[in-house]
Amino acid sequence: MGTVNAKTIRVLLADDQEMVRAAFRMILEAQPDIQVVAEAADGATAVAEARRLRPDVCLLDIRMPEMDGLEATRQLAGPEARDPLNVLIATTFDLDEYVYRALRDGACGFLLKDGSPALLAEAVRAAAHGDSMISPSITVRLLRHMTPPEPAAPAPVPPPSRSPAEPLTERELEVVRLVARGRTNEEVAAELYVTLSTVKTHLGNVQRKLDARNRVEIAAWAWESGLCS
């Protein structure tokens, strides 16, 4: 995956609506650690610019001319991508088939455009580190079902082992429950009255104990284990 500069996360924006790109640029560049390095109005240009600039995160819309965001995701981050990049999808279309395909083809996250600016910034940071973040409304719905639309299709997020290598502490379980309900790290910190760094430490410990690759697998384990019932 793309590497992260110690100071700045470099982002490519791809959306066929200029107003959306302008809004995303304003939100992201208000963050001290994020810089928008390129924009594209179609998927083909996005793929070409991403391969040329190799940004830390490619923030892609789905419905674009020339090439849609799902195909662009496959080319930039899919199993056949020679040197994959970190892709984050942002769309107005809350369709399960889009989510499953995007995740199968290597996307690090899937957001709805009506999400908060804080969620967008946190999702970009997560994607820059190869982690996954999905809009809360989608996360809860998908993880309750955990079944792709086609029975023969592989699961988009393979669940980690049901038995953690070490027991989770009570505070780690509290963090896991909130993550499984779609909370961002900042929201978890606020609800538990702890610092953001403390939440990240707990998640790191949980990820190690569960042998999970990212927060989506942590959430999947929580739902499968009955922690959210």
Side-chain angles (χ1 to χ4, degrees):
M1 292 292 180
T3 57
V4 184
N5 184 287
K7 295 181 180 179
T8 305
I9 296 171
R10 300 166 62 252
V11 178
L12 177 145
L13 293 177
D15 195 293
D16 61 343
Q17 298 185 51
E18 186 175 354
M19 289 182 61
V20 172
R21 297 199 308 272
F24 281 177
R25 175 184 283 273
M26 182 178 64
I27 291 169
L28 294 176
E29 294 205 326
Q31 305 298 316
D33 59 336
I34 299 175
Q35 176 188 10
V36 176
V37 296
E39 295 184 18
D42 63 80
T45 301
V47 169
E49 285 294 277
R51 287 173 173 166
R52 181 177 71 87
L53 297 171
R54 296 205 56 81
D56 301 307
V57 177
C58 302
L59 181 59
L60 308 181
D61 186 22
I62 288 183
R63 296 190 179 179
M64 295 187 290
E66 302 295 332
M67 179 190 299
D68 66 29
L70 295 174
E71 174 60 20
T73 298
R74 188 190 69 79
Q75 293 194 21
L76 293 173
E80 297 179 1
R82 186 169 298 178
D83 195 1
L85 291 164
N86 299 314
V87 173
L88 175 63
I89 295 290
T91 182
T92 55
F93 301 100
D94 183 8
L95 300 176
D96 286 359
E97 61 186 283
Y98 286 170
V99 182
Y100 287 123
R101 181 176 165 190
L103 295 178
R104 280 199 302 268
D105 286 339
C108 290
F110 196 104
L111 300 179
L112 297 180
K113 289 180 180 177
D114 60 1
S116 70
L119 181 63
L120 176 64
E122 186 169 342
V124 165
R125 292 186 182 103
H129 291 89
D131 200 356
S132 297
M133 180 171 289
I134 301 177
S135 282
S137 60
I138 300 175
T139 300
V140 173
R141 186 180 73 245
L142 291 184
L143 293 178
R144 277 176 174 160
H145 298 293
M146 293 296 293
T147 306
E150 298 180 8
V157 182
S161 170
R162 287 181 177 271
S163 301
E166 303 172 34
L168 273 61
T169 67
E170 285 300 317
R171 182 46 63 98
E172 288 169 353
L173 289 172
E174 290 176 337
V175 170
V176 168
R177 288 188 187 98
L178 291 174
V179 166
R181 293 188 173 98
R183 304 295 198 275
T184 67
N185 287 355
E186 292 176 348
E187 290 170 337
V188 173
E191 291 194 37
L192 297 182
Y193 301 100
V194 297
T195 65
L196 186 58
S197 62
T198 298
V199 172
K200 291 179 179 179
T201 298
H202 286 314
L203 282 175
N205 290 337
V206 170
Q207 193 168 326
R208 174 181 56 80
K209 291 179 179 180
L210 296 179
D211 191 25
R213 293 177 299 176
N214 49 52
R215 68 192 295 122
V216 177
E217 289 193 0
I218 291 173
W221 177 84
W223 284 98
E224 286 192 330
S225 302
L227 291 178
C228 301
S229 58

